[in-house]
PDB file of all heavy atoms in Angstrom:
ATOM      1  N   ARG A  27     -22.761 -85.023 -90.734  1.00 77.00           N
ATOM      2  CA  ARG A  27     -23.224 -84.354 -91.961  1.00 77.00           C
ATOM      3  C   ARG A  27     -22.193 -83.333 -92.429  1.00 77.00           C
ATOM      4  O   ARG A  27     -21.907 -83.217 -93.624  1.00 77.00           O
ATOM      5  CB  ARG A  27     -24.571 -83.680 -91.718  1.00 77.00           C
ATOM      6  CG  ARG A  27     -25.734 -84.633 -91.582  1.00 77.00           C
ATOM      7  CD  ARG A  27     -27.070 -83.916 -91.724  1.00 77.00           C
ATOM      8  NE  ARG A  27     -27.266 -82.905 -90.699  1.00 77.00           N
ATOM      9  CZ  ARG A  27     -27.824 -83.134 -89.513  1.00 77.00           C
ATOM     10  NH1 ARG A  27     -28.206 -84.370 -89.196  1.00 77.00           N
ATOM     11  NH2 ARG A  27     -27.987 -82.161 -88.643  1.00 77.00           N
ATOM     12  N   GLN A  28     -21.637 -82.599 -91.491  1.00 69.00           N
ATOM     13  CA  GLN A  28     -20.638 -81.602 -91.850  1.00 69.00           C
ATOM     14  C   GLN A  28     -19.411 -82.266 -92.450  1.00 69.00           C
ATOM     15  O   GLN A  28     -18.821 -81.755 -93.403  1.00 69.00           O
ATOM     16  CB  GLN A  28     -20.242 -80.801 -90.604  1.00 69.00           C
ATOM     17  CG  GLN A  28     -21.321 -79.873 -90.089  1.00 69.00           C
ATOM     18  CD  GLN A  28     -20.947 -79.245 -88.767  1.00 69.00           C
ATOM     19  OE1 GLN A  28     -20.032 -79.695 -88.081  1.00 69.00           O
ATOM     20  NE2 GLN A  28     -21.660 -78.206 -88.392  1.00 69.00           N
ATOM     21  N   ALA A  29     -19.030 -83.411 -91.895  1.00 67.00           N
ATOM     22  CA  ALA A  29     -17.854 -84.116 -92.406  1.00 67.00           C
ATOM     23  C   ALA A  29     -18.081 -84.609 -93.825  1.00 67.00           C
ATOM     24  O   ALA A  29     -17.168 -84.585 -94.653  1.00 67.00           O
ATOM     25  CB  ALA A  29     -17.513 -85.293 -91.483  1.00 67.00           C
ATOM     26  N   ARG A  30     -19.303 -85.033 -94.110  1.00 60.00           N
ATOM     27  CA  ARG A  30     -19.594 -85.552 -95.452  1.00 60.00           C
ATOM     28  C   ARG A  30     -19.608 -84.457 -96.507  1.00 60.00           C
ATOM     29  O   ARG A  30     -19.074 -84.608 -97.592  1.00 60.00           O
ATOM     30  CB  ARG A  30     -20.953 -86.269 -95.454  1.00 60.00           C
ATOM     31  CG  ARG A  30     -20.944 -87.643 -94.825  1.00 60.00           C
ATOM     32  CD  ARG A  30     -22.145 -88.454 -95.266  1.00 60.00           C
ATOM     33  NE  ARG A  30     -23.397 -87.790 -94.898  1.00 60.00           N
ATOM     34  CZ  ARG A  30     -24.049 -87.995 -93.771  1.00 60.00           C
ATOM     35  NH1 ARG A  30     -23.562 -88.857 -92.888  1.00 60.00           N
ATOM     36  NH2 ARG A  30     -25.185 -87.378 -93.505  1.00 60.00           N
ATOM     37  N   TYR A  31     -20.234 -83.321 -96.164  1.00 51.00           N
ATOM     38  CA  TYR A  31     -20.467 -82.292 -97.172  1.00 51.00           C
ATOM     39  C   TYR A  31     -19.459 -81.139 -97.164  1.00 51.00           C
ATOM     40  O   TYR A  31     -19.397 -80.361 -98.097  1.00 51.00           O
ATOM     41  CB  TYR A  31     -21.876 -81.709 -97.002  1.00 51.00           C
ATOM     42  CG  TYR A  31     -22.966 -82.734 -97.176  1.00 51.00           C
ATOM     43  CD1 TYR A  31     -23.843 -83.032 -96.136  1.00 51.00           C
ATOM     44  CD2 TYR A  31     -23.120 -83.425 -98.373  1.00 51.00           C
ATOM     45  CE1 TYR A  31     -24.842 -83.988 -96.285  1.00 51.00           C
ATOM     46  CE2 TYR A  31     -24.106 -84.375 -98.531  1.00 51.00           C
ATOM     47  CZ  TYR A  31     -24.968 -84.659 -97.485  1.00 51.00           C
ATOM     48  OH  TYR A  31     -25.951 -85.604 -97.634  1.00 51.00           O
ATOM     49  N   SER A  32     -18.674 -81.032 -96.089  1.00 49.00           N
ATOM     50  CA  SER A  32     -17.782 -79.870 -95.997  1.00 49.00           C
ATOM     51  C   SER A  32     -16.372 -80.244 -95.577  1.00 49.00           C
ATOM     52  O   SER A  32     -15.676 -79.462 -94.938  1.00 49.00           O
ATOM     53  CB  SER A  32     -18.354 -78.856 -94.993  1.00 49.00           C
ATOM     54  OG  SER A  32     -19.668 -78.502 -95.323  1.00 49.00           O
ATOM     55  N   GLU A  33     -15.929 -81.434 -95.934  1.00 44.00           N
ATOM     56  CA  GLU A  33     -14.631 -81.899 -95.465  1.00 44.00           C
ATOM     57  C   GLU A  33     -13.491 -80.989 -95.914  1.00 44.00           C
ATOM     58  O   GLU A  33     -12.640 -80.596 -95.120  1.00 44.00           O
ATOM     59  CB  GLU A  33     -14.379 -83.328 -95.956  1.00 44.00           C
ATOM     60  CG  GLU A  33     -13.063 -83.892 -95.439  1.00 44.00           C
ATOM     61  CD  GLU A  33     -12.859 -85.336 -95.846  1.00 44.00           C
ATOM     62  OE1 GLU A  33     -13.759 -85.892 -96.513  1.00 44.00           O
ATOM     63  OE2 GLU A  33     -11.809 -85.892 -95.508  1.00 44.00           O
ATOM     64  N   ILE A  34     -13.468 -80.614 -97.175  1.00 39.00           N
ATOM     65  CA  ILE A  34     -12.373 -79.798 -97.678  1.00 39.00           C
ATOM     66  C   ILE A  34     -12.390 -78.411 -97.042  1.00 39.00           C
ATOM     67  O   ILE A  34     -11.376 -77.899 -96.567  1.00 39.00           O
ATOM     68  CB  ILE A  34     -12.435 -79.677 -99.219  1.00 39.00           C
ATOM     69  CG1 ILE A  34     -12.237 -81.063 -99.840  1.00 39.00           C
ATOM     70  CG2 ILE A  34     -11.393 -78.693 -99.720  1.00 39.00           C
ATOM     71  CD1 ILE A  34     -12.345 -81.062-101.354  1.00 39.00           C
ATOM     72  N   ASP A  35     -13.592 -77.795 -97.011  1.00 45.00           N
ATOM     73  CA  ASP A  35     -13.707 -76.471 -96.407  1.00 45.00           C
ATOM     74  C   ASP A  35     -13.357 -76.510 -94.928  1.00 45.00           C
ATOM     75  O   ASP A  35     -12.718 -75.599 -94.396  1.00 45.00           O
ATOM     76  CB  ASP A  35     -15.128 -75.930 -96.574  1.00 45.00           C
ATOM     77  CG  ASP A  35     -15.428 -75.549 -98.014  1.00 45.00           C
ATOM     78  OD1 ASP A  35     -14.457 -75.378 -98.778  1.00 45.00           O
ATOM     79  OD2 ASP A  35     -16.613 -75.434 -98.361  1.00 45.00           O
ATOM     80  N   SER A  36     -13.766 -77.568 -94.268  1.00 42.00           N
ATOM     81  CA  SER A  36     -13.509 -77.682 -92.835  1.00 42.00           C
ATOM     82  C   SER A  36     -12.010 -77.749 -92.569  1.00 42.00           C
ATOM     83  O   SER A  36     -11.498 -77.127 -91.654  1.00 42.00           O
ATOM     84  CB  SER A  36     -14.197 -78.914 -92.269  1.00 42.00           C
ATOM     85  OG  SER A  36     -13.910 -79.069 -90.908  1.00 42.00           O
ATOM     86  N   MET A  37     -11.294 -78.520 -93.385  1.00 37.00           N
ATOM     87  CA  MET A  37      -9.855 -78.633 -93.203  1.00 37.00           C
ATOM     88  C   MET A  37      -9.178 -77.292 -93.430  1.00 37.00           C
ATOM     89  O   MET A  37      -8.269 -76.906 -92.707  1.00 37.00           O
ATOM     90  CB  MET A  37      -9.284 -79.680 -94.167  1.00 37.00           C
ATOM     91  CG  MET A  37      -9.694 -81.105 -93.831  1.00 37.00           C
ATOM     92  SD  MET A  37      -9.129 -82.285 -95.064  1.00 37.00           S
ATOM     93  CE  MET A  37      -7.355 -82.081 -94.914  1.00 37.00           C
ATOM     94  N   ALA A  38      -9.653 -76.553 -94.406  1.00 38.00           N
ATOM     95  CA  ALA A  38      -9.071 -75.243 -94.680  1.00 38.00           C
ATOM     96  C   ALA A  38      -9.335 -74.271 -93.536  1.00 38.00           C
ATOM     97  O   ALA A  38      -8.483 -73.476 -93.162  1.00 38.00           O
ATOM     98  CB  ALA A  38      -9.635 -74.686 -95.982  1.00 38.00           C
ATOM     99  N   ASP A  39     -10.526 -74.352 -92.962  1.00 45.00           N
ATOM    100  CA  ASP A  39     -10.894 -73.441 -91.881  1.00 45.00           C
ATOM    101  C   ASP A  39      -9.992 -73.593 -90.672  1.00 45.00           C
ATOM    102  O   ASP A  39      -9.766 -72.630 -89.942  1.00 45.00           O
ATOM    103  CB  ASP A  39     -12.347 -73.685 -91.443  1.00 45.00           C
ATOM    104  CG  ASP A  39     -13.334 -73.173 -92.480  1.00 45.00           C
ATOM    105  OD1 ASP A  39     -12.911 -72.390 -93.333  1.00 45.00           O
ATOM    106  OD2 ASP A  39     -14.509 -73.596 -92.430  1.00 45.00           O
ATOM    107  N   HIS A  40      -9.465 -74.802 -90.443  1.00 40.00           N
ATOM    108  CA  HIS A  40      -8.686 -75.026 -89.235  1.00 40.00           C
ATOM    109  C   HIS A  40      -7.186 -74.898 -89.463  1.00 40.00           C
ATOM    110  O   HIS A  40      -6.409 -75.211 -88.568  1.00 40.00           O
ATOM    111  CB  HIS A  40      -9.008 -76.403 -88.652  1.00 40.00           C
ATOM    112  CG  HIS A  40     -10.398 -76.462 -88.103  1.00 40.00           C
ATOM    113  ND1 HIS A  40     -10.803 -75.718 -87.028  1.00 40.00           N
ATOM    114  CD2 HIS A  40     -11.492 -77.161 -88.499  1.00 40.00           C
ATOM    115  CE1 HIS A  40     -12.066 -75.950 -86.767  1.00 40.00           C
ATOM    116  NE2 HIS A  40     -12.516 -76.818 -87.651  1.00 40.00           N
ATOM    117  N   ASN A  41      -6.767 -74.455 -90.641  1.00 41.00           N
ATOM    118  CA  ASN A  41      -5.364 -74.161 -90.890  1.00 41.00           C
ATOM    119  C   ASN A  41      -5.075 -72.727 -90.466  1.00 41.00           C
ATOM    120  O   ASN A  41      -5.962 -71.893 -90.378  1.00 41.00           O
ATOM    121  CB  ASN A  41      -5.012 -74.348 -92.369  1.00 41.00           C
ATOM    122  CG  ASN A  41      -4.977 -75.813 -92.752  1.00 41.00           C
ATOM    123  OD1 ASN A  41      -4.661 -76.661 -91.925  1.00 41.00           O
ATOM    124  ND2 ASN A  41      -5.300 -76.114 -94.001  1.00 41.00           N
ATOM    125  N   GLY A  42      -3.828 -72.451 -90.250  1.00 36.00           N
ATOM    126  CA  GLY A  42      -3.479 -71.083 -89.874  1.00 36.00           C
ATOM    127  C   GLY A  42      -3.865 -70.778 -88.447  1.00 36.00           C
ATOM    128  O   GLY A  42      -3.562 -71.530 -87.524  1.00 36.00           O
ATOM    129  N   ASP A  43      -4.583 -69.685 -88.235  1.00 37.00           N
ATOM    130  CA  ASP A  43      -4.988 -69.257 -86.897  1.00 37.00           C
ATOM    131  C   ASP A  43      -6.128 -70.140 -86.435  1.00 37.00           C
ATOM    132  O   ASP A  43      -7.285 -69.886 -86.731  1.00 37.00           O
ATOM    133  CB  ASP A  43      -5.418 -67.787 -86.931  1.00 37.00           C
ATOM    134  CG  ASP A  43      -5.683 -67.242 -85.548  1.00 37.00           C
ATOM    135  OD1 ASP A  43      -5.304 -67.924 -84.575  1.00 37.00           O
ATOM    136  OD2 ASP A  43      -6.250 -66.149 -85.445  1.00 37.00           O
ATOM    137  N   SER A  44      -5.812 -71.206 -85.692  1.00 32.00           N
ATOM    138  CA  SER A  44      -6.810 -72.228 -85.385  1.00 32.00           C
ATOM    139  C   SER A  44      -7.817 -71.790 -84.355  1.00 32.00           C
ATOM    140  O   SER A  44      -7.547 -70.963 -83.492  1.00 32.00           O
ATOM    141  CB  SER A  44      -6.102 -73.492 -84.876  1.00 32.00           C
ATOM    142  OG  SER A  44      -5.424 -73.200 -83.674  1.00 32.00           O
ATOM    143  N   LEU A  45      -9.005 -72.393 -84.458  1.00 32.00           N
ATOM    144  CA  LEU A  45     -10.079 -72.237 -83.484  1.00 32.00           C
ATOM    145  C   LEU A  45     -10.410 -70.790 -83.144  1.00 32.00           C
ATOM    146  O   LEU A  45     -10.388 -70.378 -81.985  1.00 32.00           O
ATOM    147  CB  LEU A  45      -9.715 -72.989 -82.192  1.00 32.00           C
ATOM    148  CG  LEU A  45      -9.337 -74.463 -82.392  1.00 32.00           C
ATOM    149  CD1 LEU A  45      -8.930 -75.073 -81.074  1.00 32.00           C
ATOM    150  CD2 LEU A  45     -10.477 -75.228 -83.003  1.00 32.00           C
ATOM    151  N   PRO A  46     -10.743 -69.957 -84.156  1.00 33.00           N
ATOM    152  CA  PRO A  46     -11.045 -68.553 -83.876  1.00 33.00           C
ATOM    153  C   PRO A  46     -12.273 -68.366 -83.018  1.00 33.00           C
ATOM    154  O   PRO A  46     -12.412 -67.344 -82.352  1.00 33.00           O
ATOM    155  CB  PRO A  46     -11.267 -67.966 -85.284  1.00 33.00           C
ATOM    156  CG  PRO A  46     -11.682 -69.130 -86.118  1.00 33.00           C
ATOM    157  CD  PRO A  46     -10.894 -70.299 -85.581  1.00 33.00           C
ATOM    158  N   PHE A  47     -13.192 -69.357 -82.987  1.00 33.00           N
ATOM    159  CA  PHE A  47     -14.418 -69.199 -82.217  1.00 33.00           C
ATOM    160  C   PHE A  47     -14.157 -69.244 -80.718  1.00 33.00           C
ATOM    161  O   PHE A  47     -15.039 -68.973 -79.926  1.00 33.00           O
ATOM    162  CB  PHE A  47     -15.434 -70.277 -82.586  1.00 33.00           C
ATOM    163  CG  PHE A  47     -14.863 -71.661 -82.650  1.00 33.00           C
ATOM    164  CD1 PHE A  47     -14.670 -72.393 -81.495  1.00 33.00           C
ATOM    165  CD2 PHE A  47     -14.515 -72.205 -83.867  1.00 33.00           C
ATOM    166  CE1 PHE A  47     -14.151 -73.668 -81.558  1.00 33.00           C
ATOM    167  CE2 PHE A  47     -13.990 -73.485 -83.930  1.00 33.00           C
ATOM    168  CZ  PHE A  47     -13.803 -74.219 -82.778  1.00 33.00           C
ATOM    169  N   LEU A  48     -12.904 -69.626 -80.321  1.00 33.00           N
ATOM    170  CA  LEU A  48     -12.581 -69.638 -78.900  1.00 33.00           C
ATOM    171  C   LEU A  48     -11.897 -68.357 -78.453  1.00 33.00           C
ATOM    172  O   LEU A  48     -11.346 -68.300 -77.360  1.00 33.00           O
ATOM    173  CB  LEU A  48     -11.676 -70.833 -78.572  1.00 33.00           C
ATOM    174  CG  LEU A  48     -12.390 -72.180 -78.468  1.00 33.00           C
ATOM    175  CD1 LEU A  48     -11.368 -73.290 -78.263  1.00 33.00           C
ATOM    176  CD2 LEU A  48     -13.383 -72.174 -77.325  1.00 33.00           C
ATOM    177  N   ALA A  49     -11.944 -67.311 -79.293  1.00 34.00           N
ATOM    178  CA  ALA A  49     -11.355 -66.038 -78.900  1.00 34.00           C
ATOM    179  C   ALA A  49     -11.963 -65.586 -77.588  1.00 34.00           C
ATOM    180  O   ALA A  49     -13.160 -65.678 -77.374  1.00 34.00           O
ATOM    181  CB  ALA A  49     -11.606 -64.993 -79.987  1.00 34.00           C
ATOM    182  N   SER A  50     -11.103 -65.078 -76.708  1.00 37.00           N
ATOM    183  CA  SER A  50     -11.582 -64.756 -75.361  1.00 37.00           C
ATOM    184  C   SER A  50     -12.537 -63.580 -75.373  1.00 37.00           C
ATOM    185  O   SER A  50     -12.414 -62.649 -76.154  1.00 37.00           O
ATOM    186  CB  SER A  50     -10.384 -64.423 -74.462  1.00 37.00           C
ATOM    187  OG  SER A  50      -9.682 -63.317 -74.977  1.00 37.00           O
ATOM    188  N   ARG A  51     -13.539 -63.650 -74.470  1.00 41.00           N
ATOM    189  CA  ARG A  51     -14.464 -62.546 -74.268  1.00 41.00           C
ATOM    190  C   ARG A  51     -14.060 -61.817 -73.007  1.00 41.00           C
ATOM    191  O   ARG A  51     -13.321 -62.340 -72.173  1.00 41.00           O
ATOM    192  CB  ARG A  51     -15.895 -63.075 -74.131  1.00 41.00           C
ATOM    193  CG  ARG A  51     -16.418 -63.746 -75.399  1.00 41.00           C
ATOM    194  CD  ARG A  51     -17.846 -64.218 -75.195  1.00 41.00           C
ATOM    195  NE  ARG A  51     -18.411 -64.741 -76.424  1.00 41.00           N
ATOM    196  CZ  ARG A  51     -18.243 -65.977 -76.846  1.00 41.00           C
ATOM    197  NH1 ARG A  51     -17.519 -66.814 -76.156  1.00 41.00           N
ATOM    198  NH2 ARG A  51     -18.795 -66.381 -77.975  1.00 41.00           N
ATOM    199  N   ALA A  52     -14.566 -60.606 -72.843  1.00 44.00           N
ATOM    200  CA  ALA A  52     -14.262 -59.851 -71.638  1.00 44.00           C
ATOM    201  C   ALA A  52     -14.731 -60.627 -70.423  1.00 44.00           C
ATOM    202  O   ALA A  52     -15.855 -61.115 -70.389  1.00 44.00           O
ATOM    203  CB  ALA A  52     -14.959 -58.494 -71.692  1.00 44.00           C
ATOM    204  N   PRO A  53     -13.884 -60.809 -69.416  1.00 43.00           N
ATOM    205  CA  PRO A  53     -14.288 -61.573 -68.238  1.00 43.00           C
ATOM    206  C   PRO A  53     -15.387 -60.874 -67.468  1.00 43.00           C
ATOM    207  O   PRO A  53     -15.477 -59.657 -67.463  1.00 43.00           O
ATOM    208  CB  PRO A  53     -12.990 -61.644 -67.415  1.00 43.00           C
ATOM    209  CG  PRO A  53     -12.198 -60.463 -67.862  1.00 43.00           C
ATOM    210  CD  PRO A  53     -12.519 -60.287 -69.326  1.00 43.00           C
ATOM    211  N   SER A  54     -16.223 -61.682 -66.806  1.00 42.00           N
ATOM    212  CA  SER A  54     -17.286 -61.109 -65.995  1.00 42.00           C
ATOM    213  C   SER A  54     -16.658 -60.444 -64.773  1.00 42.00           C
ATOM    214  O   SER A  54     -15.548 -60.797 -64.370  1.00 42.00           O
ATOM    215  CB  SER A  54     -18.269 -62.198 -65.586  1.00 42.00           C
ATOM    216  OG  SER A  54     -17.587 -63.239 -64.925  1.00 42.00           O
ATOM    217  N   PRO A  55     -17.364 -59.501 -64.150  1.00 44.00           N
ATOM    218  CA  PRO A  55     -16.794 -58.754 -63.031  1.00 44.00           C
ATOM    219  C   PRO A  55     -16.296 -59.632 -61.899  1.00 44.00           C
ATOM    220  O   PRO A  55     -15.317 -59.275 -61.229  1.00 44.00           O
ATOM    221  CB  PRO A  55     -17.970 -57.880 -62.581  1.00 44.00           C
ATOM    222  CG  PRO A  55     -18.806 -57.725 -63.799  1.00 44.00           C
ATOM    223  CD  PRO A  55     -18.701 -59.029 -64.520  1.00 44.00           C
ATOM    224  N   GLU A  56     -16.940 -60.779 -61.668  1.00 40.00           N
ATOM    225  CA  GLU A  56     -16.558 -61.603 -60.533  1.00 40.00           C
ATOM    226  C   GLU A  56     -15.331 -62.471 -60.785  1.00 40.00           C
ATOM    227  O   GLU A  56     -14.889 -63.199 -59.922  1.00 40.00           O
ATOM    228  CB  GLU A  56     -17.744 -62.490 -60.105  1.00 40.00           C
ATOM    229  CG  GLU A  56     -18.148 -63.552 -61.095  1.00 40.00           C
ATOM    230  CD  GLU A  56     -19.183 -63.042 -62.085  1.00 40.00           C
ATOM    231  OE1 GLU A  56     -19.332 -61.805 -62.203  1.00 40.00           O
ATOM    232  OE2 GLU A  56     -19.840 -63.864 -62.738  1.00 40.00           O
ATOM    233  N   HIS A  57     -14.807 -62.429 -61.988  1.00 40.00           N
ATOM    234  CA  HIS A  57     -13.611 -63.210 -62.307  1.00 40.00           C
ATOM    235  C   HIS A  57     -12.465 -62.266 -62.654  1.00 40.00           C
ATOM    236  O   HIS A  57     -12.629 -61.348 -63.443  1.00 40.00           O
ATOM    237  CB  HIS A  57     -13.867 -64.148 -63.492  1.00 40.00           C
ATOM    238  CG  HIS A  57     -14.781 -65.271 -63.169  1.00 40.00           C
ATOM    239  ND1 HIS A  57     -16.152 -65.127 -63.105  1.00 40.00           N
ATOM    240  CD2 HIS A  57     -14.537 -66.572 -62.860  1.00 40.00           C
ATOM    241  CE1 HIS A  57     -16.705 -66.276 -62.787  1.00 40.00           C
ATOM    242  NE2 HIS A  57     -15.743 -67.164 -62.638  1.00 40.00           N
ATOM    243  N   ASP A  58     -11.307 -62.514 -62.100  1.00 50.00           N
ATOM    244  CA  ASP A  58     -10.168 -61.665 -62.425  1.00 50.00           C
ATOM    245  C   ASP A  58      -9.539 -62.120 -63.734  1.00 50.00           C
ATOM    246  O   ASP A  58      -9.860 -63.161 -64.289  1.00 50.00           O
ATOM    247  CB  ASP A  58      -9.147 -61.636 -61.286  1.00 50.00           C
ATOM    248  CG  ASP A  58      -8.633 -63.020 -60.937  1.00 50.00           C
ATOM    249  OD1 ASP A  58      -8.614 -63.901 -61.824  1.00 50.00           O
ATOM    250  OD2 ASP A  58      -8.243 -63.220 -59.770  1.00 50.00           O
ATOM    251  N   ALA A  59      -8.588 -61.324 -64.203  1.00 56.00           N
ATOM    252  CA  ALA A  59      -8.005 -61.574 -65.520  1.00 56.00           C
ATOM    253  C   ALA A  59      -7.274 -62.908 -65.572  1.00 56.00           C
ATOM    254  O   ALA A  59      -7.327 -63.620 -66.580  1.00 56.00           O
ATOM    255  CB  ALA A  59      -7.051 -60.440 -65.885  1.00 56.00           C
ATOM    256  N   SER A  60      -6.605 -63.295 -64.496  1.00 51.00           N
ATOM    257  CA  SER A  60      -5.848 -64.547 -64.527  1.00 51.00           C
ATOM    258  C   SER A  60      -6.763 -65.755 -64.644  1.00 51.00           C
ATOM    259  O   SER A  60      -6.446 -66.716 -65.343  1.00 51.00           O
ATOM    260  CB  SER A  60      -4.982 -64.668 -63.270  1.00 51.00           C
ATOM    261  OG  SER A  60      -5.785 -64.698 -62.109  1.00 51.00           O
TER     262      SER A  60
END
């Protein structure tokens, strides 16, 4: 459905700084930074 109705917007969203929704969150205490 998204591909049918938002193809142009979707393509624009993924140009430039790609995949912003995968920006890292603060790690949980049991996991180190690496």
Side-chain angles (χ1 to χ4, degrees):
R27 288 196 299 271
Q28 290 173 344
R30 284 199 301 268
Y31 299 119
S32 305
E33 183 176 359
I34 296 177
D35 289 342
S36 177
M37 291 175 62
D39 287 344
H40 291 295
N41 288 330
D43 187 13
S44 63
L45 307 177
F47 46 81
L48 282 175
S50 60
R51 295 181 174 84
S54 56
E56 67 271 17
H57 290 79
D58 58 28
S60 62

